[in-house]
């Protein structure tokens, strides 16, 4: 299974593609969709949709895992991120890609084993689980890879079979 992890944003959308086969994980690709500052939001959203379509078309993932929206302090930024997230969800749906959503605590729990782990702990475990020489860059891509790993580890859980 190839999982497309997405860390949503409107300036930078992190993505990470992870292959999961029988509990073993392999990094396929990671990076970011960058939209230029100073460009109107609708144009940025269109670019996100177009670039995401290209990415899905190139790698043919089986599922998309995306982080749920988390408002910190800046509501104005959160609204833009929410709009970008909506475009990302719509694009995946349009392309027939199943969508799974995870909150930050779920990602931390699945990757680092502790729902309140620090970012560096999650990144270190991401590096170890994928046997990488370094943490993926930029940070948005590293977050997206962790989201993909969260889905890989959660989707193979024996607990899901008990439902």
């Amino acid at each position: 299974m190839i999982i497309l992890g997405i860390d949503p944003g409107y300036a930078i959308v992190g993505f990470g593609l992870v292959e999961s086969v029988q509990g073993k994980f392999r990094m396929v690709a990671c990076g970011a969709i960058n939209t230029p500052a100073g460009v109107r939001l609708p144009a940025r959203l269109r670019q996100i949709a177009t670039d995401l379509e290209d990415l899905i078309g190139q790698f043919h993932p089986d599922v998309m895992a995306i982080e749920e929206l988390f408002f910190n302090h800046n509501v104005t930024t959160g609204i833009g991120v929410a709009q970008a997230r909506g475009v990302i969800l719509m694009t995946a749906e349009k392309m027939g890609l199943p969508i799974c959503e995870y909150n930050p605590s779920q990602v931390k729990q699945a990757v680092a084993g502790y729902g309140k782990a620090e970012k560096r702990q999650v990144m270190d475990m991401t590096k170890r689980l994928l046997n990488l020489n370094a943490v993926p860059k930029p940070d948005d891509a590293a977050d997206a890879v962790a989201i993909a790993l969260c889905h890989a580890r959660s989707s193979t859980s024996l607990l899901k079979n008990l439902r």
Side-chain angles (χ1 to χ4, degrees):
M1 166 177 27
I2 296 179
I3 303 154
L4 171 59
I6 295 287
D7 180 33
Y10 62 89
I12 302 172
V13 176
F15 68 86
L17 289 131
V18 172
E19 183 178 43
S20 175
V21 178
Q22 297 178 342
K24 296 190 187 313
F25 313 116
R26 179 181 72 86
M27 169 79 82
V28 175
C30 71
I33 296 170
N34 295 289
T35 65
V39 174
R40 291 181 43 242
L41 183 61
R44 293 173 103 169
L45 297 175
R46 184 182 68 220
Q47 181 184 341
I48 290 167
T50 301
D51 290 357
L52 186 58
E53 285 179 14
D54 292 346
L55 189 68
I56 292 168
Q58 179 181 353
F59 290 100
H60 306 286
D62 299 294
V63 64
M64 181 178 81
I66 186 169
E67 190 169 58
E68 290 179 349
L69 191 57
F70 173 73
F71 280 98
N72 201 0
H73 299 290
N74 190 339
V75 174
T76 303
T77 300
I79 291 170
V81 173
Q83 290 173 318
R85 191 174 181 280
V87 166
I88 292 164
L89 293 172
M90 185 270 318
T91 302
E93 180 70 19
K94 175 181 159 187
M95 298 195 69
L97 194 57
I99 301 162
C100 294
E101 302 177 61
Y102 298 95
N103 66 45
S105 293
Q106 289 172 308
V107 175
K108 292 173 182 180
Q109 179 68 42
V111 176
Y114 177 56
K116 294 184 180 181
E118 294 178 20
K119 186 174 181 87
R120 65 171 181 75
Q121 292 171 304
V122 175
M123 294 302 98
D124 183 57
M125 283 304 298
T126 298
K127 185 177 98 171
R128 288 175 186 223
L129 289 167
L130 290 168
N131 198 27
L132 302 173
N133 293 327
V135 172
K137 295 288 180 197
D139 285 352
D140 306 273
D143 291 343
V145 171
I147 295 162
L149 274 173
C150 171
H151 180 76
R153 299 189 89 197
S154 299
S155 68
T156 59
S157 170
L158 294 176
L159 294 177
K160 77 172 191 166
N161 296 324
L162 296 177
R163 293 183 192 157

